[in-house]
Amino acid sequence: MNPLSLRNVTKTYKTQGKPLITAVNDVSFTIEPGSIHGLLGPNGAGKSTLISMISGMQAPTSGSITLFDVDMVRNPEQAKGFLGVVPQEVVVEMAFTVQEVLYYFSGMYGVPKAQRQGRIDHALEDLQLSDKKDEKAKTLSGGMKRRLMIAKAMIHQPKFLILDEPTAGVDVALRQRIWDIVRRLHAEGTTILFTTHYLEEAEQLCDTITLMNHGAVIKEGKLKDIQKEFSQNSIHFELYDQNVPHPEGVHRTGSEFEFPMRSLAEDMEMLTKHYNSNLKAIRSEAASLESIFLTLTA
Ligand SMILES: Nc1ncnc2c1ncn2[C@@H]1O[C@H](COP(=O)(O)OP(=O)(O)OP(=O)(O)O)[C@@H](O)[C@H]1O
Ligand SMILES: [Mg+2]
């Protein structure tokens, strides 16, 4: 039973007098239990539109969306029960205090009354909002509002947590804290789907990714496999004395040397034997997500 399965999901928008917009175009992928899945792509790629359909906020024009085998279109109430969602836009209940907001949401999501206060205190502490608990939500700073949204989304301990750019515009310390929370929830068995424009963040957190552009999936799978596929297939090395004979195929790149990789183990052995103690450093390079992203979306 996968937390998420998308089959041929399409969303088009028709506004009068304007051409049809296909925001999401025939998207299919699954997220397996216990994954941290990164949904990546440039501005306007269709990520938030897809997330709003996965969250049941709008219906797909065509295609099917199931959460733990429950169809989001046919059975939205049950499907939504699995979810916690942090949308991209900041939405908080301005007139209520932080604690009231969390109390309201824990009730709405069916957290038993006896457990509510404990959960709220825990969430407040987790997101460092304890000293703001009696303040009205409208008086919070932007970063604090985002923290409150995250607290709201996890108060009922959902099996599947979706975060649309949770770390956009937050300070460095809070970003680290959000990562820690994501990692902890993941360790506790929560499946996570999130979007980010910080590819380094995706590199550190994700097991699997979907890369979208112009509404469509352009790459999908295990982050490690994708990095392998795009790896530069070359060995880079540095020498103490550069004026020595080189094996065939070696060429200089700046202060380094490069050798096209055939078999990592054999090539490393050959180079080590050839250069011996003249070899200062040697490494094979996996492509960074940023270079993969730029290659695919250029
Ligand atoms: N309600 C709507 N009506 C018309 N067009 C829409 C609507 N919502 C989204 N779009 C269009 O769909 C496309 C995808 O938008 P979306 O918000 O899903 O992108 P995104 O990948 O989340 O981008 P960002 O990284 O900037 O958040 C854009 O061209 C956008 O203008
Ligand atoms: Mg978006």
Side-chain angles (χ1 to χ4, degrees):
M1 222 177 11
N2 286 322
L4 179 68
S5 178
L6 301 173
R7 276 188 218 97
N8 309 105
V9 174
T10 293
K11 181 76 191 177
T12 53
Y13 291 110
K14 180 77 193 116
T15 14
Q16 221 174 0
K18 292 201 177 139
L20 192 75
I21 293 174
T22 306
V24 171
N25 190 0
D26 198 22
V27 166
S28 303
F29 66 87
T30 42
I31 298 183
E32 290 177 8
S35 317
I36 303 188
H37 190 93
L39 182 58
L40 311 173
N43 290 139
K47 306 178 297 296
S48 296
T49 307
L50 189 60
I51 282 178
S52 77
M53 292 188 281
I54 297 169
S55 324
M57 288 185 279
Q58 55 177 336
T61 310
S62 59
S64 88
I65 299 170
T66 55
L67 290 113
F68 298 95
D69 288 348
V70 176
D71 191 296
M72 179 52 92
V73 177
R74 277 186 235 133
N75 215 342
E77 289 317 310
Q78 196 191 345
K80 281 183 199 172
F82 300 120
L83 280 180
V85 184
V86 182
Q88 182 172 5
E89 300 293 328
V90 172
V91 211
V92 287
E93 294 60 27
M94 296 293 187
F96 294 92
T97 69
V98 168
Q99 186 154 235
E100 284 165 352
V101 170
L102 294 179
Y103 200 83
Y104 170 76
F105 274 89
S106 55
M108 196 174 94
Y109 284 113
V111 177
K113 250 195 176 132
Q115 291 179 22
R116 279 184 213 168
Q117 196 57 52
R119 294 259 189 104
I120 291 168
D121 290 343
H122 187 244
L124 287 170
E125 207 168 298
D126 229 358
L127 289 138
Q128 292 181 316
L129 283 170
S130 301
D131 57 337
K132 296 279 172 187
K133 70 179 191 235
D134 295 318
E135 307 278 330
K136 289 251 161 55
K138 68 177 168 203
T139 67
L140 299 178
S141 76
M144 290 171 193
K145 285 190 183 120
R146 193 160 284 278
R147 281 188 249 171
L148 176 56
M149 287 174 58
I150 297 172
K152 257 165 65 175
M154 49 185 261
I155 198 84
H156 57 301
Q157 299 174 331
K159 285 170 78 174
F160 185 17
L161 183 63
I162 300 179
L163 308 113
D164 196 352
E165 292 192 37
T167 56
V170 306
D171 69 41
V172 183
L174 178 55
R175 179 166 303 161
Q176 294 284 355
R177 191 153 190 100
I178 293 174
W179 290 12
D180 289 346
I181 293 171
V182 164
R183 286 200 187 98
R184 198 197 62 224
L185 291 172
H186 174 246
E188 289 167 5
T190 313
T191 301
I192 316 258
L193 167 65
F194 78 102
T195 77
T196 181
H197 287 287
Y198 302 103
L199 297 178
E200 204 196 309
E201 183 168 285
E203 220 159 42
Q204 292 204 18
L205 287 174
C206 297
D207 319 304
T208 50
I209 60 165
T210 297
L211 184 52
M212 288 180 76
N213 199 14
H214 303 300
V217 173
I218 53 172
K219 200 83 204 167
E220 204 262 322
K222 287 206 173 85
L223 176 61
K224 285 211 173 75
D225 292 345
I226 294 171
Q227 283 179 315
K228 215 184 250 170
E229 183 188 330
F230 282 82
S231 70
Q232 290 151 355
N233 293 324
S234 62
I235 294 177
H236 294 249
F237 59 94
E238 290 171 61
L239 297 173
Y240 290 106
D241 179 4
Q242 304 186 342
N243 297 317
V244 292
H246 301 287
E248 204 176 316
V250 168
H251 65 271
R252 188 192 283 261
T253 53
S255 63
E256 285 191 352
F257 294 87
E258 202 179 325
F259 183 73
M261 189 159 74
R262 289 172 299 232
S263 144
L264 179 64
E266 281 173 29
D267 291 344
M268 287 258 191
E269 197 188 323
M270 185 277 287
L271 292 168
T272 315
K273 261 194 188 147
H274 181 91
Y275 292 109
N276 234 312
S277 57
N278 190 23
L279 199 58
K280 193 171 164 189
I282 185 161
R283 65 193 154 77
S284 73
E285 234 170 53
S288 73
L289 193 49
E290 186 158 316
S291 76
I292 295 171
F293 184 93
L294 290 172
T295 307
L296 288 173
T297 58

